[in-house]
Amino acid sequence: MVPPDLVVLNGRLLTMDPARPRASALALSGGRIAAVGETAEIRGLAGPATRIVDAQGATVLPGFIDSHVHLFQGAVELDYLDLYGVTGIEALTDRVRAYAAANPADRVVFAIQADYAVLGPGRSTTRQDLDRVLPDRPFAMFAPDHHTIWANTRALELAGLLHGGATEMGSEIRLAPDGTATGELREPGAYAPILAHTRYGGRDMFGLVSGADPAPAPTAAERALDATVMARGLRHAASHGITSLHNMDGNFYTAEILQACEAAGDLLCRTEVPFHLKSHDPLSRFEEAEEMRRRFASDWLWTGRVKMFMDGVVESSTALMIEPYPGLTTTGDAVFTPEHFNAACIEADRRGFQIAVHAIGDLAVRRTLDGFQAAREANGPRDSRHRVEHIEVLDPADLPRFKELGAVASIQPGHAPFGGVFPPDGAGKMLHARQIPWAFAWRKIRDSGARVIFSTDWPVMPVDVTTNLKAAVAPLDLGEPWVDNAQTLAETLESYTAGNAWVEFNEDRKGRLAPGMMADVAVMSHDLEALPPSEIDQARAAVTICGGRITWEA
């Protein structure tokens, strides 16, 4: 046997392979796993040129697959002002003015992770508030969920939104009684004009906002800038043990930038880019999806999925609900009409695409499952692995439909009020008490027999794997009417590795440490099974290997 390129020794391997669940070492050759066994055996395979990684008793497992990210946007936002944990106008003012002074060339001073209650519990943020924060320059800030932007008067004037304007279905420029904008812009169709003036011209979100490529076409200098920031984002993901990413917004431009990263040796994570269909798009746009699938079809960069939005988010009352929100008359905003959505599902399924749908409210989840059912009835059943993203509120009647339809529950543990990432009172105050036991109902969904996969939705929350692991295995106890949704460590790790390989139809090639599988491996800093669940976020990736190449080393 030719000596392997790399061996990992002295590990506590969690292989995700039923044939051999545990081992202590593995060997990699030619981008594949050559052997899995015990340390003495694998050490004996090494030659003079073999790279040796000593896991020092820590967990070794398949490389993490984050199955729901916005990669370009996450990469871009590594540069913006992060307001996570900032509360009160004084603290906000101090942070914003310091950042503005350090970035004098920005047309819009832009911040991220601004809590819905950044100015205090129960207080809405207005343009006048933000005028006090930064009176002399355009300023805007993103909510963590990226469904709302708040902007000051100068930013609204720059974007042509001070007196409102036309928006697509499901989006809203909130107006005051005098007809001027309050400063709150709900959903991409309302805030896209603000993003057009940010540092990257909104190119990072074109696949999400419009589903199309940036217009006008980016210059060569802009493409080079975007490739540089994308490479930084990929390095950041790799530093957390991640070897694959499922992007959730897509266009040709994003895929082309990733292709440029691949040519430069910077594509450190295998990445899937979807085709994004908007509610105003005709079904004829699926021809573009077919072209994307033809053009991008490698082990490192591929397209095979259609992404759609059914609703907004609970915190801004834009998630689509069966009954009105407490104290409100609204049931949220439907992004698609049921008729158009069902037709889109039927056509995407007919063409053999996987479908992934953002659905947060209970009615949005129901209509998404209705679309999947319509596709099955029109085209016949197949192994489609269609995905419902988020599922924050579920009606009990719809729980069994996941298993019946073969629909996949794509969940982000850190989003839940009990996930420990965001303030715990954000979503709960927008739900009826009877809805709460069925909110973020991971345990009920898994126990129903539905397939469950985990992800972060970066940059809604950091792409940090172990922060998300902790949210799943050690959720906060919020008391009644909230219920315990804790996942076991084994369930969580499977959903982050083998489960996510399965949902991308790659279960025979990745997601397990077994001979012949892709050499995608995460060597952790700790033995994850030995850590108390509440301390699992102490662990980090020590070494990340993708395709047999070390892409991160602490």
Side-chain angles (χ1 to χ4, degrees):
M1 178 179 176
V2 176
D5 302 324
L6 185 151
V7 295
V8 179
L9 308 176
N10 301 313
R12 296 182 63 85
L13 271 63
L14 301 177
T15 68
M16 306 298 157
D17 180 13
R20 184 169 191 167
R22 294 176 182 270
S24 63
L26 76 163
L28 313 177
S29 290
R32 298 280 170 171
I33 296 174
V36 175
E38 301 308 318
T39 292
E41 169 195 0
I42 299 299
R43 182 185 283 119
L45 301 177
T50 300
R51 173 73 184 269
I52 296 176
V53 173
D54 186 350
Q56 302 179 55
T59 296
V60 179
L61 71 170
F64 292 107
I65 302 171
D66 195 323
S67 58
H68 188 127
V69 300
H70 301 272
L71 172 59
F72 195 4
Q73 187 180 358
V76 161
E77 292 189 11
L78 293 172
D79 291 336
Y80 288 138
L81 173 62
D82 189 343
L83 296 176
Y84 181 77
V86 173
T87 57
I89 196 162
E90 291 183 3
L92 179 63
T93 299
D94 290 345
R95 292 288 300 277
V96 170
R97 291 186 181 181
Y99 179 82
N103 295 274
D106 285 356
R107 296 185 69 189
V108 173
V109 177
F110 199 71
I112 60 171
Q113 292 291 327
D115 192 77
Y116 279 89
V118 67
L119 297 183
R123 180 174 173 184
S124 299
T125 300
T126 68
R127 64 181 172 92
Q128 289 86 359
D129 292 322
L130 299 187
D131 289 345
R132 291 171 56 197
V133 170
L134 193 68
D136 56 345
R137 290 176 64 183
F139 168 61
M141 58 187 193
F142 243 144
D145 56 34
H146 291 65
H147 286 260
T148 298
I149 278 180
W150 296 275
N152 71 358
T153 302
R154 284 182 177 263
L156 293 167
E157 289 173 337
L158 177 65
L161 300 176
L162 184 58
H163 299 283
T167 63
E168 65 182 33
M169 190 165 65
S171 298
E172 181 185 10
I173 302 168
R174 300 278 286 174
L175 297 177
D178 66 359
T180 62
T182 66
E184 182 177 340
L185 309 171
R186 295 182 173 182
E187 304 300 330
Y191 62 60
I194 295 287
L195 296 178
H197 297 284
T198 59
R199 189 177 301 173
Y200 295 89
R203 296 187 300 279
D204 54 306
M205 288 193 66
F206 252 87
L208 179 71
V209 171
S210 70
D213 293 324
T219 65
E222 287 171 337
R223 281 180 174 265
L225 175 65
D226 294 346
T228 298
V229 74
M230 190 80 87
R232 181 184 174 198
L234 289 160
R235 287 194 300 273
H236 182 70
S239 75
H240 293 284
I242 294 169
T243 55
S244 292
L245 298 164
H246 300 173
N247 213 41
M248 280 292 143
D249 52 89
N251 50 16
F252 288 97
Y253 182 69
T254 298
E256 288 166 357
I257 294 300
L258 287 165
Q259 208 167 47
C261 289
E262 183 176 11
D266 293 329
L267 189 58
L268 303 186
C269 305
R270 307 177 195 274
T271 305
E272 184 200 21
V273 177
F275 172 79
H276 195 116
L277 188 79
K278 301 292 288 184
S279 60
H280 52 73
D281 287 333
L283 300 188
S284 59
R285 280 207 72 208
F286 280 115
E287 291 299 323
E288 296 175 52
E290 296 274 16
E291 184 182 349
M292 284 186 71
R293 183 163 58 182
R294 286 191 296 269
R295 281 182 58 184
F296 308 104
S298 75
D299 288 345
W300 287 87
L301 177 62
W302 73 101
T303 292
R305 181 168 44 85
V306 171
K307 170 71 187 298
M308 292 182 277
F309 268 80
M310 184 57 78
D311 66 344
V313 293
V314 170
E315 288 81 357
S316 64
S317 67
T318 54
L320 186 61
M321 298 292 188
I322 294 171
E323 59 181 304
Y325 287 85
L328 301 176
T329 58
T330 182
T331 57
D333 298 327
V335 175
F336 273 83
T337 65
E339 296 77 17
H340 187 36
F341 178 74
N342 288 359
C345 286
I346 291 169
E347 184 62 12
D349 183 77
R350 184 185 71 81
R351 292 174 181 261
F353 284 101
Q354 185 183 41
I355 303 168
V357 182
H358 168 115
I360 283 183
D362 49 14
L363 183 54
V365 174
R366 176 172 295 176
R367 288 187 179 178
T368 298
L369 294 171
D370 288 346
F372 294 173
Q373 183 172 338
R376 174 174 283 208
E377 291 172 353
N379 303 323
R382 69 179 181 90
D383 184 14
S384 59
R385 307 182 193 182
H386 296 326
R387 305 167 45 156
V388 188
E389 309 294 322
H390 308 307
I391 320 168
E392 293 189 0
V393 187
L394 178 65
D395 187 88
D398 292 313
L399 177 62
R401 301 180 69 197
F402 281 85
K403 185 178 180 181
E404 291 166 4
L405 294 169
V408 181
S410 175
I411 290 168
Q412 301 70 44
H415 287 198
F418 42 78
V421 177
F422 300 116
D425 59 351
K429 64 186 178 184
M430 302 297 292
L431 300 176
H432 297 282
R434 61 186 173 277
Q435 291 176 307
I436 287 178
W438 291 86
F440 305 90
W442 319 327
R443 189 75 264 160
K444 291 183 175 71
I445 295 171
R446 190 184 290 278
D447 290 346
S448 77
R451 198 66 184 258
V452 174
I453 58 173
F454 285 153
S455 55
T456 59
D457 199 8
W458 183 47
V460 170
M461 65 171 283
V463 78
D464 307 24
V465 169
T466 57
T467 300
N468 214 29
L469 296 183
K470 180 181 176 181
V473 302
L476 303 176
D477 181 2
L478 300 183
E480 293 184 355
W482 295 98
V483 298
D484 183 8
N485 276 286
Q487 309 282 287
T488 68
L489 180 61
E491 289 170 335
T492 302
L493 294 176
E494 191 279 338
S495 289
Y496 233 127
T497 56
N500 280 337
W502 172 85
V503 83
E504 64 174 62
F505 297 90
N506 267 325
E507 66 268 30
D508 293 332
R509 304 199 302 156
K510 66 199 299 192
R512 288 183 289 130
L513 302 181
M517 303 293 281
M518 293 178 178
D520 298 355
V521 183
V523 181
M524 303 303 290
S525 60
H526 291 66
D527 177 357
L528 299 181
E529 293 178 298
L531 286 170
S534 62
E535 297 176 15
I536 201 164
D537 57 338
Q538 292 182 7
R540 291 290 183 269
V543 179
T544 307
I545 303 164
C546 190
R549 168 191 174 194
I550 292 179
T551 54
W552 163 258
E553 193 166 12

